[in-house]
Amino acid sequence: MFPRRAKGLLDFCMAALCVWAAYHHTPAGALLRKAAAWASGTRSSARPLLAYYDGVSGTSLSPPMVAPDVPLSRALTDAEALAWGTHLSLKGARPRARQPALELAAELGVPAASLLDAHSGPGAARTLHVALAKDFPDEEARLTALFAGRVPARYALERVSAEGGAPTLERLSSQLPPGFEDASVGAAQALALATAFGLAWPVHEGARVTSPFGERFHPVLGRRKLHTGVDLGVPVGTPVVAVADGVVRRASEDAVNGRVLVVDHGRGVTTAYCHNSELLVKVGQRVTRGALVARSGNTGRSTGPHLHYQLELAARPMDPLKFRTALRAVAKDAAP
């Protein structure tokens, strides 16, 4: 069909495209990019390696994610967690994306500034949820109304109801009129943050944090590097449990993370458990909150027995200690 020279050129172009895709969109490519950045002394743009296994990369969730900056004094109820997630999502949103929520706040006599305030924000967001609960009883529909406005959300809800099935955020977002992409992102972030407040802890409560989240001097590499999780000092063989219901996306071993598990909890939330001595679940297996999934160890690039626990929201590592108090238990309540 093609002359030999043209076919050769086409084959070359296809091969070049495959190499480019592998370099930019695979774990091996990420390793090469990180190595090149290290050799040249520049900063790598490659995503964290675990992001390739989280099952949510490429979704509408996008940074920035804003973590709580006020210590939580007690566990949150489901409704309070949703209010906190809404407040934090609004705080990190662009001004235009906040507009529907601010308009609703004005209708209810809630000061707009209070929605973004670290102390009053969650309470103000809870007021908005209560006001929307009658027309939008499902929390995902309520979040859509809060970030997109009542009229667009009602339109989307009617379309989803006509098709049958649950009004999930994904389905509602697909039925919103054009121009509401920011609303979908804001609602998804709020839901992810709310879910993070409800996570349990992967080991016993007495485990000591030996290395917190954030920039640190890496004990093996000998240079400053972002520590994308928290290290919990526990003996080899300590039971490691799933922090919430989910699906195992990765159960394997590599030179850096050792024996590692990645669990997708849905709503853009994944957790990773690294340096284990034994993995007790397989890829694709469903796990429940509190289920034994591994035993801690000292495998991979490790200087001593510990569990590296990592929380990611939309493939963006977050400090799990920011959600720590609320992680112990989330009470159930019937309020919106």
Side-chain angles (χ1 to χ4, degrees):
M1 180 179 292
F2 296 104
R4 181 174 298 178
R5 182 175 298 178
K7 186 176 184 300
L9 180 61
L10 181 62
D11 289 343
F12 174 80
C13 291
M14 291 299 294
L17 180 62
C18 290
V19 170
W20 179 89
Y23 185 71
H24 287 279
H25 298 289
T26 66
L31 281 173
L32 286 173
R33 290 161 66 191
K34 286 178 180 290
W38 175 81
S40 61
T42 59
R43 187 177 181 86
S44 172
S45 61
R47 294 183 299 163
L49 288 181
L50 292 179
Y52 291 91
Y53 301 96
D54 61 16
V56 298
S57 301
T59 65
S60 60
L61 279 167
S62 61
M65 282 279 193
V66 179
D69 51 11
V70 174
L72 298 170
S73 59
R74 60 176 178 81
L76 302 180
T77 66
D78 289 344
E80 289 171 334
L82 188 62
W84 265 95
T86 302
H87 155 66
L88 293 171
S89 182
L90 286 170
K91 193 172 181 179
R94 290 189 286 266
R96 179 183 174 185
R98 298 171 182 163
Q99 199 57 39
L102 297 181
E103 291 175 358
L104 177 60
E107 289 179 25
L108 300 173
V110 176
S114 67
L115 273 174
L116 308 180
D117 181 76
H119 295 278
S120 62
R126 178 73 182 273
T127 300
L128 302 191
H129 277 281
V130 171
L132 291 169
K134 182 178 180 180
D135 294 331
F136 303 94
D138 295 299
E139 64 180 24
E140 297 186 35
R142 197 157 62 246
L143 281 170
T144 302
L146 201 151
F147 282 90
R150 294 183 183 183
V151 174
R154 189 174 292 112
Y155 169 82
L157 184 58
E158 289 173 355
R159 293 287 298 271
V160 170
S161 299
E163 293 177 352
T168 63
L169 193 57
E170 182 179 3
R171 297 186 67 196
L172 290 166
S173 296
S174 69
Q175 296 294 347
L176 285 173
F180 284 90
E181 291 77 15
D182 283 347
S184 299
V185 171
Q189 287 187 339
L191 200 58
L193 287 160
T195 302
F197 282 110
L199 301 178
W201 203 237
V203 292
H204 59 81
E205 295 288 343
R208 186 168 62 93
V209 176
T210 57
S211 183
F213 179 95
E215 290 283 342
R216 67 170 182 175
F217 186 81
H218 198 284
V220 177
L221 300 179
R223 57 184 173 85
R224 293 196 66 79
K225 189 176 184 294
L226 175 65
H227 188 221
T228 54
V230 294
D231 289 347
L232 303 172
V234 290
V236 172
T238 298
V240 177
V241 302
V243 297
D245 295 353
V247 178
V248 178
R249 296 301 185 196
R250 182 186 178 193
S252 60
E253 183 173 5
D254 62 54
V256 176
N257 299 300
R259 294 190 177 101
V260 55
L261 284 178
V262 177
V263 180
D264 179 4
H265 304 287
R267 296 181 167 185
V269 179
T270 59
T271 52
Y273 316 79
C274 305
H275 308 299
N276 299 287
S277 61
E278 185 180 5
L279 304 181
L280 304 176
V281 291
K282 299 178 180 179
V283 172
Q285 183 174 336
R286 291 192 171 275
V287 296
T288 56
R289 178 189 175 100
L292 182 65
V293 294
R295 295 192 183 278
S296 68
N298 189 29
T299 58
R301 194 163 64 193
S302 172
T303 58
H306 74 285
L307 173 72
H308 172 91
Y309 171 57
Q310 185 164 319
L311 167 65
E312 293 192 359
L313 304 182
R316 171 60 64 91
M318 299 286 286
D319 184 358
L321 293 177
K322 293 284 188 180
F323 304 89
R324 182 65 187 102
T325 302
L327 293 177
R328 300 189 180 190
V330 174
K332 300 292 182 183
D333 65 3

